[in-house]
Amino acid sequence: QVQLVESGGGLVQAGGSLRLSCVTSGRTFSSYAMGWFRQAPGKERAFVAAINWSGGVTSYGDSVKGRFTISRDNAKNTVYLQMNSLKPEDTAVYYCARSPYSGTRSRPDEYDYWGQGTQVTVSS
């Protein structure tokens, strides 16, 4: 059974930064793409960023391009999301997910394991 545990969420002022981490159990972490999604109240889960198995290819949602950076450390079974220049509209629960594919994916149905989520709140 694969388990994902996110951390690093919190309350930050607009313009500030946060770094989310997601530790994944299992020996085959380095074989799979990883992604971050977010869900605000009353909205559907939205794609934020994804990274391929090696870390060499990344993709981002339009609303976070240039502000967020996804990375991974396969030796630590961990994926990160560095969030800079945060805006109030970034407020959401952020979820880490593992894809059964090696390349980046942007749809929630292309991921098979999910973390419990971590709250990010950006005040104006």
Side-chain angles (χ1 to χ4, degrees), residues 28-96:
T28 57
F29 173 80
S30 61
S31 299
Y32 302 108
M34 299 293 295
W36 287 96
F37 291 78
R38 67 186 182 187
Q39 189 165 18
K43 295 187 177 182
E44 293 186 351
R45 192 164 295 191
F47 172 70
V48 174
I51 189 165
N52 78 328
W53 67 277
S54 68
V57 179
T58 58
S59 62
Y60 297 92
D62 288 342
S63 61
V64 307
K65 283 180 182 177
R67 299 188 298 123
F68 290 12
T69 302
I70 188 171
S71 61
R72 67 190 295 162
D73 185 336
N74 286 344
K76 296 182 178 180
N77 279 18
T78 302
V79 62
Y80 305 97
L81 185 68
Q82 178 66 44
M83 305 185 294
N84 298 329
S85 302
L86 283 161
K87 305 174 182 180
E89 51 264 43
D90 294 319
T91 295
V93 177
Y94 282 71
Y95 296 91
C96 169

Side-chain angles (χ1 to χ4, degrees), residues 86-110:
L86 283 161
K87 305 174 182 180
E89 51 264 43
D90 294 319
T91 295
V93 177
Y94 282 71
Y95 296 91
C96 169
R98 194 204 78 167
S99 174
Y101 304 102
S102 58
T104 59
R105 294 289 188 274
S106 62
R107 297 200 318 263
D109 64 2
E110 295 175 306

